[in-house]
Amino acid sequence: MSDTISDTCPPTFGFRVEAESEAVSEARRKIVALVRGWDVPVSDNTLDDLELLSTELITNAVRHTDSSCAVAVRWTGERVRVEVTDVSPARPYRRHSSPEAEGGRGLLLVESLATAWGSAPDPAGKVVWFELGPSDGTPPPWSTPGKWTITTDSGSATSGYLPAWAEDDPTEVNVPLDQLPERLAGINHRNFFEGPMMPINAPDVWDGVEEDAVFEGSIDCNPYDPDPGLRVPVVNLQVCVGRWILGLDPHGLAEVTAKLRAHADFLEAKIRPALIAAREDWAAHHTD
């Protein structure tokens, strides 16, 4: 990776962390060393927070999945951004009754120290991210529209179109030449959208009922995917936690929308009156 900031190639780096205790400490040291090496304008206190929050997110990812996770570290031009992707679809949330659980003490630290943070569904599981840096009340843009470029350590460069809606810039420098195919295969232009919050039961994931989003997802484009249909923007729609409808083109999305609208009308016109009648009948005939 480059050791200094470039106006055309903002620093970014990604790596995998294995599900081993020593791997977490190695990962946090790597993250801090990367940011120091980029010579970005962040204070020593910010680097301390970076180490602490990186440790929390990575530890949660490997502890609660018993699997490796993927880490991405970026300089947005204003902030340091760390993203951790793991295989569990369960989004982090604060559990007041269990401070040692995921989303307990760790989430409190993230909320108190990070300039911004969040999580999003991913076909592989979920992404949890945080940013450290100045805050003006609005987050900085995640990408520079127009063009991405991956430059290898041999000096060759591969470029492509970076759409304005993409939330990430795959630009990278000094990539080992033998790793270029892997980097290209991993390019994903993505824009998340939210869904309504609903009370969700997931006995195989957590106990009790949790508020979670339904029918949220993302617009995705994977320009080097083996499937030509995924090389153009599609919608990946998460019906509920861990359940996806993938690869929707405009016609497919219209079909899903029509079915949801028809089902909403059915629930309102047929099921709601039937429920009211059933409750009234039950109250009239049932005795405790």
Side-chain angles (χ1 to χ4, degrees):
M1 297 302 303
S2 173
D3 291 334
T4 59
I5 294 296
S6 166
D7 292 335
T8 58
C9 294
T12 180
F13 189 80
F15 61 96
R16 182 162 294 278
V17 180
E18 299 302 325
E20 303 169 355
S21 57
E22 63 271 15
V24 175
S25 58
E26 180 181 346
R28 73 178 179 229
R29 288 193 295 268
K30 179 182 292 188
I31 291 170
V32 173
L34 281 167
V35 176
R36 285 188 186 277
W38 289 341
D39 194 27
V40 297
V42 296
S43 67
D44 288 340
N45 286 339
T46 299
L47 290 174
D48 290 341
D49 292 342
L50 174 66
E51 182 175 8
L52 178 59
L53 297 186
S54 297
T55 300
E56 291 291 344
L57 262 61
I58 297 171
T59 298
N60 278 339
V62 299
R63 175 185 296 166
H64 296 283
T65 65
D66 291 325
S67 299
S68 61
C69 64
V71 176
V73 189
R74 297 177 176 84
W75 173 249
T76 69
E78 294 286 338
R79 300 176 183 171
V80 176
R81 179 182 176 90
V82 175
E83 301 170 358
V84 179
T85 303
D86 65 49
V87 299
S88 170
R91 304 273 287 279
Y93 62 95
R94 187 187 301 172
R95 296 184 178 94
H96 294 287
S97 61
S98 180
E100 296 305 317
E102 181 181 12
R105 173 179 173 271
L107 182 53
L108 289 172
L109 283 172
V110 174
E111 289 178 337
S112 63
L113 296 179
T115 307
W117 78 278
S119 65
D122 186 273
K126 69 173 177 296
V127 180
V128 184
W129 59 270
F130 70 83
E131 292 180 351
L132 291 169
S135 175
D136 59 0
T138 58
W142 287 358
S143 62
T144 302
K147 181 180 180 181
W148 59 265
T149 302
I150 296 179
T151 306
T152 68
D153 54 6
S154 66
S156 63
T158 303
S159 298
Y161 173 60
L162 181 62
W165 49 265
E167 294 178 344
D168 198 8
D169 186 341
T171 292
E172 195 172 352
V173 296
N174 290 338
V175 173
L177 184 59
D178 61 349
Q179 295 182 17
L180 179 61
E182 178 182 353
R183 293 292 203 278
L184 295 177
I187 292 177
N188 173 219
H189 303 313
R190 173 174 293 173
N191 187 285
F192 287 105
F193 55 86
E194 297 181 348
M197 299 298 291
M198 297 285 185
I200 301 295
N201 286 276
D204 58 333
V205 180
W206 61 69
D207 295 328
V209 179
E210 299 297 339
E211 286 285 321
D212 212 323
V214 298
F215 291 102
E216 65 180 352
S218 57
I219 298 176
D220 287 85
C221 179
N222 300 76
Y224 291 90
D225 197 280
D227 182 354
L230 301 181
R231 297 176 194 167
V232 296
V234 297
V235 160
N236 292 322
L237 194 62
Q238 181 172 243
V239 179
C240 61
V241 176
R243 302 294 185 265
W244 291 79
I245 303 173
L246 299 175
L248 292 169
D249 61 15
H251 176 71
L253 184 58
E255 286 187 336
V256 170
T257 302
K259 290 177 180 179
L260 290 176
R261 186 176 294 114
H263 194 61
D265 291 342
F266 170 72
L267 292 175
E268 178 64 26
K270 300 290 186 180
I271 302 305
R272 185 171 180 272
L275 175 62
I276 292 172
R279 290 168 65 94
E280 291 174 348
D281 177 73
W282 182 262
H285 296 90
H286 177 73
T287 56
D288 293 328

